[in-house]
Amino acid sequence: GRLCRWEAGEEFSCLIRVRHSRALAPGRVRIAGGRARVEMERPIRAVAPGQSAVFYAPAGRGLGGGVIQKEEG
């Protein structure tokens, strides 16, 4: 597989899976300060720090992801 790298300030729409048993849901990812900020089109229940968020292209190809952390701020 290829390693995806994003530049600071980049943003994109994609499908996102939180927790392995959840369905893919549309959202937007913004890269800033070495982190990805994820905003879902519709709220998702029971999201907690330590869970994974995985980003997918509309065709289902994995784009990347990370571990959810508490929002600072």
Side-chain angles (χ1 to χ4, degrees), residues 8 22 47 71:
R22 296 275 179 153
V47 175
E71 186 173 13

Side-chain angles (χ1 to χ4, degrees), residues 6-48:
W6 294 292
E7 298 294 323
E10 189 171 351
E11 54 184 270
F12 56 94
S13 295
C14 62
L15 298 173
I16 302 166
R17 183 185 313 270
V18 177
R19 300 171 57 151
H20 71 280
S21 61
R22 296 275 179 153
L24 293 171
R28 188 148 188 85
V29 178
R30 291 187 184 110
I31 307 300
R35 295 177 183 253
R37 179 178 176 83
V38 176
E39 294 182 19
M40 305 302 294
E41 285 187 12
R42 291 185 214 120
I44 294 180
R45 293 181 357 173
V47 175

Side-chain angles (χ1 to χ4, degrees), residues 47-58:
V47 175
Q51 295 173 341
S52 293
V54 183
F55 316 141
Y56 294 90

